[in-house]
Amino acid sequence: MCSRNGNSFPRTVTFRLTLLTAVTITAVSIVFFAVMYLALTRNLAFRMDEDLVSDVNQMAAIYQVQGREELGRQIEFEIDSEGTNRMFIRLMGSNGKVLLATDMEVWDGINTREAGALPEEDGDAFETVYMPRKGCHARIISRRIAPDRILQIGCTLEEDEDLLRIYRRGSILAVLVLLVCGGVTGWLMGRNAMSGVERVRQTAVSIGKGDLLSRVPLGNEGQEINDLARAFNDMLERIQGVVIELREVTNHIAHDLRSPITRIRGMAETTMTGEQTVEEYREMAEIVVEESDRLVGMINVMLDIAMTEAGDRLAAREDVDIVRVVESACEIFQTIAEDRGQTLEVDGFDGPLVIRGNLSQLQRMVSNLLDNACKFTSPGGVIRLSLGSTKTHVTTTVTDTGIGISQEDLPRIFEQFYRADRSRTTPGNGLGLSHVKAIVRAHCGEIRVESAPGAGSSFTVHLPRNRDQR
Ligand code: ADP
């Protein structure tokens, strides 16, 4: 038998569970029936010996008190009720000569006893002998009831052996039934448990065929299977998120590349007509260089983000004083802000705030935040840069009184190429904040943003002060 995915049935978990359950139940039942059989055998033998001892006691007492004739009558009475096929009784002399006996036709082959071979008074000799004519065993007790008299009583074990035979057959039948029941139970259990795994497999197959929206339905097989299904679904959600993000990034790249390339192509086409003046050619060449620079710049930033995320850039770590980084960034942006009619304020900080990191990356981080603050703040607005520190972290905050960000856009501004400004009138490519986030992450820090439309924005970066404290 083969399962749907081509594995042979003996290699499936269901088969192994079936086998295990069947074997376990069978082994346990065999042991149980064997123990019960032994107990039953012993019990029957014990009761038989007890009955024989009781009979021999009674006969011995009659012989000793009332004599041989009364014993003869008692023997006849006893045999009448039991039957000569079931029991025999005989009295023997010291040399084994039979003095008194019941009908011994079916009991041939059973030896008489020499008195000397028996123990002294009250010592009983038991033996079990096979009776070929009856096809069963017999249990025999011999006792010396007087110095030269031996009393022998035998009883067939036919009924006990019949009972044991029935028990054996019943046990074999019961073991076979339990084997089948165990197998069926194991198979049902295995199938039930595996049906959850099968659902996960089917979902994986349909995703493999391109249905990315497929999810594993939850079932009743048990907590573990549902946990597996949930973990699988969570993973699929994340993969789907990444795929969607990737598609968007690709769309954005295509969109952002198209405009400069179209312009470059337009310039080239115009050049081919050959009717421009040298001055016009120079202007067109400048535009081509400018657009090419934009493209190269964008590609460089993307590469930088990728390398930062991979941790390559941080191979070159050094002690960096964040106060110095902020001061030099402010020197540059002071002029830019003034040109735009904005005020750039810096909350000074006494003394160095040293962290272990990459200087140029940290400069890039502060510049990007300041650049955005300037870009998205109207003339007359205020941009504030402040530093703070705790025992373990250095905090850099860039606050502005600009246009702010809507709650809808806030969770997405760190995605590559995402721009809240739908009209795309503000210069930019949507890579600045994703670059900042990659740098912050590479320094084991975190970035938080608070913003509301029209109420300005505040970006706060927390960086660990040094490696040991981290
Ligand atoms: P870019 O600035 O090149 O567009 P960023 O990744 O730096 O790309 O920023 C992503 C988007 O987040 C911006 O397009 C803008 O809509 C929004 N944003 C970033 N900083 C600010 C800010 N200080 N004020 C308002 N919006 C901002």
Side-chain angles (χ1 to χ4, degrees):
M1 197 194 303
C2 280
S3 66
R4 262 156 293 168
N5 56 5
N7 285 336
S8 60
F9 184 62
R11 288 170 64 189
T12 62
V13 175
T14 308
F15 174 76
R16 287 173 193 185
L17 264 177
T18 307
L19 195 68
L20 188 72
T21 319
V23 168
T24 309
I25 289 183
T26 308
V28 169
S29 58
I30 285 176
V31 170
F32 172 78
F33 286 122
V35 170
M36 292 302 287
Y37 182 78
L38 271 178
L40 184 63
T41 312
R42 280 174 179 236
N43 196 277
L44 288 174
F46 181 73
R47 276 175 49 191
M48 171 59 74
D49 287 357
E50 254 188 356
D51 286 352
L52 287 172
V53 169
S54 157
D55 283 350
V56 95
N57 282 346
Q58 192 189 356
M59 300 288 167
I62 290 171
Y63 178 81
Q64 279 151 10
V65 176
Q66 293 167 295
R68 183 172 149 179
E69 278 185 19
E70 186 52 32
L71 176 65
R73 269 195 292 278
Q74 185 60 34
I75 288 173
E76 270 174 36
F77 175 73
E78 190 76 26
I79 283 301
D80 280 350
S81 65
E82 291 291 336
T84 49
N85 270 349
R86 271 200 78 225
M87 190 181 196
F88 80 89
I89 304 172
R90 64 184 172 191
L91 183 68
M92 289 164 287
S94 58
N95 53 0
K97 187 177 169 215
V98 177
L99 306 174
L100 211 61
T102 55
D103 183 356
M104 297 295 289
E105 195 190 334
V106 294
W107 301 90
D108 3 314
I110 295 185
N111 297 331
T112 54
R113 281 287 194 159
E114 298 278 335
L118 289 174
E120 290 301 314
E121 270 178 46
D122 292 342
D124 293 327
F126 285 98
E127 57 189 322
T128 304
V129 295
Y130 184 68
M131 298 166 62
R133 288 185 68 174
K134 280 181 75 70
C136 65
H137 289 85
R139 186 76 171 155
I140 294 158
I141 182 171
S142 306
R143 182 189 291 180
R144 190 205 300 247
I145 56 173
D148 56 353
R149 292 290 179 268
I150 291 165
L151 184 65
Q152 200 177 39
I153 301 178
C155 201
T156 168
L157 294 176
E158 195 175 7
E159 283 172 18
D160 290 359
E161 285 176 353
D162 282 349
L163 181 70
L164 288 173
R165 198 173 301 117
I166 290 169
Y167 180 88
R168 275 198 306 273
R169 285 186 188 151
S171 300
I172 290 169
L173 197 70
V175 167
L176 287 176
V177 170
L178 284 170
L179 175 77
V180 173
C181 289
V184 171
T185 311
W187 183 73
L188 285 175
M189 274 166 40
R191 219 181 57 140
N192 184 44
M194 285 302 114
S195 64
V197 177
E198 176 61 16
R199 283 205 310 280
V200 176
R201 191 189 70 81
Q202 280 171 2
T203 308
V205 168
S206 69
I207 286 171
K209 286 179 182 163
D211 178 13
L212 288 181
L213 294 177
S214 185
R215 295 290 178 273
V216 185
L218 301 184
N220 305 319
E221 297 86 4
Q223 177 79 27
E224 295 88 340
I225 298 289
N226 279 343
D227 285 349
L228 173 72
R230 276 193 208 99
F232 195 77
N233 288 343
D234 287 350
M235 184 188 73
L236 291 177
E237 288 296 333
R238 279 191 61 81
I239 290 175
Q240 197 189 350
V242 170
V243 170
I244 290 171
E245 209 174 302
L246 215 69
R247 266 189 213 150
E248 282 180 7
V249 167
T250 318
N251 284 345
H252 286 306
I253 293 177
H255 184 270
D256 284 22
L257 289 183
R258 199 170 50 188
S259 321
I261 290 174
T262 311
R263 279 191 84 188
I264 291 171
R265 190 178 183 283
M267 295 299 124
E269 250 176 8
T270 316
T271 315
M272 274 158 52
T273 60
E275 289 162 8
Q276 272 73 30
T277 62
V278 174
E279 192 52 37
E280 282 171 333
Y281 278 127
R282 181 170 293 120
E283 270 176 28
M284 283 190 291
E286 275 170 14
I287 291 172
V288 169
V289 170
E290 197 182 296
E291 293 296 349
S292 305
D293 284 351
R294 257 185 69 192
L295 281 175
V296 171
M298 204 171 90
I299 290 165
N300 280 345
V301 175
M302 284 167 64
L303 280 176
D304 212 26
I305 292 174
M307 286 167 85
T308 308
E309 280 175 348
D312 288 4
R313 286 292 158 96
L314 283 188
R317 277 170 189 260
E318 55 190 315
D319 283 344
V320 179
D321 180 6
I322 285 288
V323 178
R324 298 281 304 277
V325 172
V326 164
E327 280 169 0
S328 57
C330 282
E331 275 169 29
I332 301 166
F333 279 90
Q334 196 74 50
T335 330
I336 297 172
E338 275 169 19
D339 288 350
R340 293 181 176 182
Q342 300 159 335
T343 313
L344 174 59
E345 295 176 353
V346 185
D347 290 345
F349 195 88
D350 295 334
L353 286 174
V354 180
I355 68 161
R356 198 94 188 123
N358 182 293
L359 176 63
S360 62
Q361 293 273 317
L362 292 167
Q363 284 169 335
R364 161 75 52 206
M365 178 189 85
V366 176
S367 312
N368 282 3
L369 292 176
L370 279 175
D371 185 42
N372 279 348
C374 292
K375 264 194 322 195
F376 297 105
T377 303
S378 320
V382 179
I383 295 144
R384 178 183 295 275
L385 211 162
S386 50
L387 285 170
S389 74
T390 63
K391 202 175 168 193
T392 53
H393 283 75
V394 171
T395 311
T396 312
T397 307
V398 178
T399 312
D400 63 56
T401 55
I403 59 169
I405 305 163
S406 70
Q407 292 305 304
E408 180 198 336
D409 289 321
L410 262 185
R412 303 199 58 193
I413 54 173
F414 292 100
E415 290 173 15
Q416 285 191 28
F417 294 101
Y418 189 81
R419 296 171 76 183
D421 169 20
R422 307 274 183 298
S423 61
R424 302 194 170 222
T425 45
T426 319
N429 50 22
L431 289 172
L433 284 182
S434 44
H435 201 178
V436 170
K437 191 171 184 186
I439 295 169
V440 172
R441 273 201 186 164
H443 284 79
C444 303
E446 65 174 51
I447 180 164
R448 291 188 195 143
V449 56
E450 284 172 23
S451 186
S457 311
S458 177
F459 289 81
T460 306
V461 176
H462 301 271
L463 296 175
R465 285 189 81 149
N466 60 47
R467 206 173 179 179
D468 299 338
Q469 281 164 327
R470 230 179 296 152

